[in-house]
Amino acid sequence: MTSRRQPSPDAPEAHLRRMNRVLDHIDAHLADDLRLETLADVAAFSPFHFHRVFRAWTGETLLDFVRRRRLEAAGGRLRHAPRDSITAIAFAVGFESGEAFSRAFKRHFGMTPTAWRRGGQLLWERRQRMVRTRPEPPASHYPVVLKQLPEREVLYWRVQGRYDTMVSQAWTAFAPRIEALGLAGQLRLGMGLDDPDIAPVSRCRFDACVVLPPNWHEPISGPVSRKRVAGGLHACLGYDGPGPLMQHAWRQLLNDWLPTSGLLVGDTPFFEVYPVEQLLPAQGPVICELCMPVAR
């Protein structure tokens, strides 16, 4: 009698790690070939199976997801890289021509890239903030310091949804796993992968990360994935205050400091670095350092 192979108890979590690997690959390679066959290979699925799995996982077709991420990335560059031409930004996020980019941008945001750059993004951000329905208090100002940060390897737990609710849920779920793996003494990073002033709040992704020590080779299981966080030059802002108000400190970096710094925003993700003594999820004030990649 031939016995049927039983599915691994870790199969759902291995599936999650494959899909997170694909989403990370898309964000890191927006200008590259992101066809179905390429990404199916990254996920180690057959193209037919991958297409169905991707849609079930994200709620979007692969084509729609890639187009949205390219346009959202372009929206950020149009705002924060004023010296870059619209055509250069179009190529940098994977469009074959400025004309195709402009058409797609207008369909998605309801305005041309030029109108967005001339102030239209403020109208879009206002609408996004209305969706979040939370008044904004005056921002506190903190000093910004330029630092060369090392590359780090991390384990991460990813959630999707409104940052004001999902971030706490991510740390609540991940903290026991960090303890069980003997990593409680390591730095932790919080990484919002999407700009809530541009992306739909329901699509915003957050990675709760713990930095791995050198030569860490323990097996991982469950809904945890592994990746490298790029180092290099970062503008860093120390924050000490209520967690919900951290978004205003991020806006200080982007809206107030960056335009007068003479620097350009980098292409790698922004992140928060939490000291070992900071409890997560935080029950009171949050102490951390906000880190934004920049280039000269």
Side-chain angles (χ1 to χ4, degrees), residues 16 53 103 109 114 166-167 169 232 241 272 285-286:
L16 177 147
V53 167
R103 288 194 300 270
F109 289 109
T114 300
M166 296 305 293
V167 169
Q169 293 178 28
E272 299 134 19
V286 176

Side-chain angles (χ1 to χ4, degrees), residues 178-191:
I178 292 173
E179 185 79 29
L181 290 170
L183 298 171
Q186 294 295 112
L187 285 178
R188 291 146 302 160
L189 311 182
M191 189 175 295

